[in-house]
Amino acid sequence: MGSVSDVFKALVDPTRRKILDELSEKDGQSLFEICARLAMKYQLASSRQAISQHLDVLEAAGLVETRREGRYKFHFINTAPLEPIVDRWLRRIPKEPE
Amino acid sequence: MGSVSDVFKALVDPTRRKILDELSEKDGQSLFEICARLAMKYQLASSRQAISQHLDVLEAAGLVETRREGRYKFHFINTAPLEPIVDRWLRRIPKEPE
DNA sequence: TTGACATGCAAGCCGCCACTTGCCTATCGT
DNA sequence: ACGATAGGCAAGTGGCGGCTTGCATGTCAA
């Protein structure tokens, strides 16, 4: 889970990048919290379902991990999949066929 | 030229990532050289026009720079636009609204 | 100059992605 | 139990991106 392609696909959408920004600022938010804060900060009136699908993509890429508690589902950022990305061309790592 | 969005859009395509790999290994190749080497290494039989359009996208993102010499056009990788990308979430840089 | 080589331009097709819409399940407070 | 809250599932739609196709331009060798 979380191939190189998945990570890039997750990062190509500007809304998903803002979600990562948001989780980077305040980790462990619920879906509704993220919706509210995105609407406040960026005048981004994305629907709940849209954000939910974005979170699914981020989770599939391994960039977001979740923990269920009762009726809440909290989302946590995981930057681990980002490490090999820039290493690929900046530092000269052997070659990592995807 | 070369906004944050442009860089991510350029990186989302696996063929464009392989082009960057190729230029990272041997900088300053022409279009036909790139086509030939991609076909050899990855059995990627992409057409010349397809690769040309990919190079346009990479150039628009600032990831590739070109120099014309006669009927040849040489392509050079430029990793500068990659630097702020992972810095955005890995190291904690102030906030860089795109 | 003539032909081959290296690249550029533009229109069209097709598949994927983000978003909506509608309904459903599950959990908490009272 | 009941309503409200938090979230999930799935089909349908519109737009954009990658690729093809066909032709045009420019450059070099003989």
Side-chain angles (χ1 to χ4, degrees), chain B residues 9 13 15-16 47 49-50 53-54 70-71:
Chain B
K9 281 179 190 170
D13 187 276
T15 302
R16 285 196 285 269
S47 76
Q49 291 86 344
Q53 289 169 0
H54 282 312
R71 56 177 164 176

Side-chain angles (χ1 to χ4, degrees), chain A residues 50-78:
Chain A
I51 302 292
S52 175
Q53 288 170 1
H54 282 312
L55 286 170
D56 289 341
V57 175
L58 288 168
E59 191 172 5
L63 290 165
V64 160
E65 295 176 346
T66 62
R67 189 175 61 222
R68 187 111 206 195
E69 280 182 26
R71 56 176 165 178
Y72 299 101
K73 187 176 182 184
F74 299 108
H75 302 79
F76 301 87
I77 190 174
N78 177 24

Side-chain angles (χ1 to χ4, degrees), chain B residues 35-44:
Chain B
C35 288
R37 293 174 69 111
L38 284 182
M40 305 275 278
K41 297 198 173 179
Y42 307 101
Q43 284 75 9
L44 244 221

Side-chain angles (χ1 to χ4, degrees), chain A residues 11-41:
Chain A
L11 291 177
V12 79
D13 187 276
T15 301
R16 285 196 284 269
R17 295 199 294 272
K18 283 170 189 163
I19 291 177
L20 286 185
D21 288 337
E22 194 49 48
L23 289 180
S24 177
E25 219 180 70
K26 180 170 188 289
D27 210 10
Q29 298 187 55
S30 74
L31 172 57
F32 270 81
E33 246 181 300
I34 296 174
C35 288
R37 292 174 70 112
L38 284 181
M40 305 275 278
K41 296 199 174 178

Side-chain angles (χ1 to χ4, degrees), chain B residues 73-86:
Chain B
K73 187 177 181 185
F74 300 107
H75 302 79
F76 301 87
I77 190 174
N78 177 24
T79 58
L82 294 176
E83 314 260 5
I85 285 187
V86 173

